[in-house]
Amino acid sequence: MGSDDSNVPTSRATAGNFLQMRFDSQDYRDAAGERFIEATNAQGRGDYLAAHLAAGLAVECMFRAYLVRVAPDFDARHDLSALSEAYLRRMPAKRIEQLRASINDVAVLWRNNHRYCSSAKLKSHFNRVARHQKAKDKLKENGVAMIDIANEVLKYGEMKWLD
């Protein structure tokens, strides 16, 4: 009386494939909205590190939502400039320059590996690269800047989604 183990992974390689998740454009779009809500909620609590991280993820998710529509097997690195190209192709010409400036700002302010940073480490990073050099609380100012950029990227991304 054995059990049916045909759906149980039998090797490490099989287990890895079994655990992989695939995401479609709607998954990324939904995640972008959820990360943006998390960012604004974190900002409201005064947790600017979490706001910064979630806002950056919201932007990355929106770019991935557009990219996966045209290139389902794209390279999944976290290069926001490269990820933004499919997104920018859908935007009105009069907005592209403004959006590209915001994308350049977020590419300077946010890195995927910031999730490993302490607040002190992130403040140190902002001392080197951020646009709010004179701000008393660089973490707060740059967290707010990230939310503003994410809001812009998501607003235009949602506006053009069905086009």
Side-chain angles (χ1 to χ4, degrees):
M1 297 195 154
S3 64
D4 179 11
D5 290 334
S6 61
N7 291 324
V8 176
T10 57
S11 72
R12 208 175 235 332
T14 305
N17 293 338
F18 179 74
L19 297 175
Q20 281 188 337
M21 295 177 71
R22 303 242 344 133
F23 301 97
D24 64 21
S25 61
Q26 190 63 47
D27 293 325
Y28 284 120
R29 181 181 175 214
D30 292 344
E34 289 176 10
R35 297 301 83 78
F36 183 74
I37 290 168
E38 290 170 8
T40 58
N41 288 342
Q43 178 187 15
R45 294 189 311 272
D47 186 352
Y48 299 106
L49 177 59
H52 169 80
L53 295 172
L57 285 172
V59 170
E60 182 176 356
C61 286
M62 183 56 78
F63 292 164
R64 286 171 176 263
Y66 275 86
L67 184 57
V68 79
R69 292 169 104 180
V70 297
D73 295 323
F74 68 93
D75 183 352
R77 283 187 234 135
H78 302 277
D79 179 351
L80 292 181
S81 296
L83 290 171
S84 70
E85 292 307 313
Y87 167 87
L88 286 172
R89 277 187 241 135
R90 305 285 296 201
M91 295 302 126
K94 65 183 179 182
R95 295 280 182 227
I96 289 177
E97 188 174 328
Q98 174 189 355
L99 289 166
R100 197 174 296 277
S102 293
I103 291 164
N104 290 340
D105 283 347
V106 79
V108 168
L109 293 175
W110 184 83
R111 296 281 185 271
N112 186 54
N113 68 354
H114 287 177
R115 66 184 187 255
Y116 306 119
C117 287
S118 66
S119 294
K121 180 82 171 176
L122 193 56
K123 285 179 186 178
S124 174
H125 170 72
F126 288 151
N127 282 333
R128 290 190 319 274
V129 303
R131 63 184 184 187
H132 298 287
Q133 290 296 325
K134 296 181 182 181
K136 184 176 179 180
D137 187 342
K138 290 179 181 65
L139 193 58
K140 177 180 179 179
E141 292 302 318
N142 288 286
V144 169
M146 285 293 297
I147 289 172
D148 290 344
I149 294 167
N151 185 47
E152 178 182 31
V153 167
L154 270 64
K155 177 176 76 174
Y156 288 109
E158 286 297 322
M159 180 178 76
K160 299 303 287 179
W161 186 256
L162 297 176
D163 285 354

